[in-house]
Amino acid sequence: MYWGKIKKWTCALCLLCALSLGAGAAAAQDNPPAVLFEGMMETFFGDDNGLVVLGDYDVVFAPEGQVNAVVAIVDAEGTVLAQYPFYPDYGNRDGVFGRIKVQKPADVQLTEPGTYTMVFAMDGAAISRFPFVLKQTGAGDDPYNPVKTFAFDGHWRRLAHIRFGGSKENPIPKFTLWMGSLDMADPDTFQAFYLAVLLRDEEVVAHSKRQTSFYSGGHFERKEFSLYHPHEKSAEANARDFAMADLADGQYDLLIVRAEDRKPLRYFTFTVAQGEIQPLPQTQLGFEPASDFMVPRVRKRGSTGYEFEEVVWIGSK
């Protein structure tokens, strides 16, 4: 992962925090605030032109009172390229959660390939960071269209999470991952399909429905799928859900392949112990450094309120 490659970001954040709204004292609480990881992943990244548009984010263990926070983009040398404050009032509050709203416009135009980090500071202390890579995909040497093109890469291809649908008595894992043009055989393709296969001891124990899971070109987008007991394509309509009760203790490999040519795109691994999927260490409270803590909660999709649900993050080999 890219966290280990960012060597100078701490020094940059010291400057960032010193410049942020007077750098007030942090509120006393058991756990430091952290930005929800899925929200950082779903920041607007413009693959066509290298534009990053910073938006609104959800924070867990949000301090009481007014918001005193900034967000910045830092390059691999530790230089703060741009920073923006958040409004002093939370957009929403619910228990330990709060939504912070950036003061717009908050756009960062990146023009050089390399490794960058989106960093957040609150009450004078760094709280969360999200590293990413900008790749140049076109040189802009066409005299009729002299425009460089880019693609963002990073955690979108290394992380996924699992939430639980169904009933409390019979929970069914629902998998979320991110896919985009970098997963296409031809980056100019508008749409492609993928297949998810779950293996235990190299034996297929479940898979998604064949060629019903599609993804589009452009920057990575959130995609969700379910798994079913092995079945023939002709029997898809009656395929049985693969539930938590079907996950015996042990290690599992979740392989994501491109449907058209069966090229592997992702290779996630996770372990089940005592009937529960074991989370990544960085999702545990108290993980150090705290700026790399991944909140095991996401905004609840389809909810009309300000609600969150538990997820288990898994990583790719």
Side-chain angles (χ1 to χ4, degrees):
M1 294 191 174
Y2 295 106
W3 292 322
K5 296 182 180 180
I6 309 297
K7 297 180 179 179
K8 298 182 179 180
W9 77 281
T10 303
C11 294
L13 281 180
C14 290
L15 174 61
L16 172 65
C17 295
L19 294 175
S20 66
L21 303 179
Q29 53 188 24
D30 293 335
N31 298 296
V35 179
L36 269 62
F37 205 83
E38 186 178 72
M40 292 189 287
M41 292 183 75
E42 297 201 322
T43 297
F44 178 86
F45 291 88
D47 275 4
D48 291 339
N49 55 13
L51 180 67
V52 181
V53 180
L54 302 166
D56 303 337
Y57 300 89
D58 297 301
V59 176
V60 70
F61 309 124
E64 297 294 334
Q66 289 196 314
V67 176
N68 178 14
V70 296
V71 59
I73 299 295
V74 179
D75 68 15
E77 299 303 316
T79 302
V80 177
L81 303 180
Q83 68 170 29
Y84 301 94
F86 290 90
Y87 285 106
D89 296 318
Y90 289 102
N92 295 90
R93 281 302 305 258
D94 182 35
V96 297
F97 294 94
R99 188 160 183 83
I100 55 177
K101 303 176 72 66
V102 76
Q103 296 187 29
K104 298 180 179 180
D107 304 344
V108 183
Q109 181 68 62
L110 301 177
T111 59
E112 296 296 328
T115 300
Y116 298 87
T117 309
M118 179 168 52
V119 294
F120 296 80
M122 180 172 276
D123 290 331
I127 61 168
S128 296
R129 60 174 171 169
F130 181 80
F132 59 90
V133 170
L134 180 65
K135 297 179 176 179
Q136 184 171 323
T137 56
D141 51 6
D142 181 351
Y144 297 101
N145 186 29
V147 178
K148 294 180 181 180
T149 57
F150 300 90
F152 290 93
D153 202 359
H155 286 309
W156 301 280
R157 289 206 279 185
R158 290 170 170 79
L159 293 169
H161 67 62
I162 307 167
R163 65 179 185 87
F164 302 96
S167 64
K168 184 176 180 180
E169 296 74 21
N170 185 36
I172 297 173
K174 305 287 185 180
F175 296 81
T176 293
L177 77 168
W178 284 260
M179 304 189 72
S181 286
L182 291 180
D183 298 311
M184 301 277 191
D186 179 354
D188 294 326
T189 302
F190 173 72
Q191 192 175 86
F193 294 85
Y194 67 91
L195 180 68
V197 181
L198 184 66
L199 303 100
R200 185 175 187 272
D201 297 330
E202 301 183 355
E203 177 184 354
V204 176
V205 296
H207 57 77
S208 59
K209 292 186 175 180
R210 294 168 175 80
Q211 297 195 10
T212 58
S213 299
F214 68 91
Y215 60 101
S216 304
H219 181 63
F220 295 97
E221 290 186 344
R222 183 184 189 275
K223 308 299 294 185
E224 184 175 271
F225 64 89
S226 298
L227 294 175
Y228 302 86
H229 286 271
H231 58 275
E232 297 298 326
K233 186 176 181 180
S234 59
E236 280 196 346
N238 298 314
R240 289 193 301 122
D241 289 323
F242 193 79
M244 279 300 300
D246 299 311
L247 284 169
D249 286 1
Q251 182 171 312
Y252 290 83
D253 298 311
L254 179 62
L255 181 63
I256 310 297
V257 300
R258 197 161 53 204
E260 63 186 271
D261 57 7
R262 294 299 192 266
K263 178 181 177 180
L265 299 175
R266 308 283 191 279
Y267 194 3
F268 299 105
T269 62
F270 62 88
T271 299
V272 175
Q274 298 181 342
E276 295 186 354
I277 300 172
Q278 301 303 294
L280 294 175
Q282 53 266 48
T283 65
Q284 302 298 297
L285 288 174
F287 181 81
E288 293 292 341
S291 56
D292 287 340
F293 170 60
M294 296 173 59
V295 182
R297 297 292 187 276
V298 298
R299 284 284 298 270
K300 190 173 184 178
R301 302 279 167 164
S303 172
T304 57
Y306 189 60
E307 298 182 85
F308 299 84
E309 59 183 334
E310 181 179 2
V311 297
V312 178
W313 286 95
I314 58 175
S316 178
K317 288 185 176 179

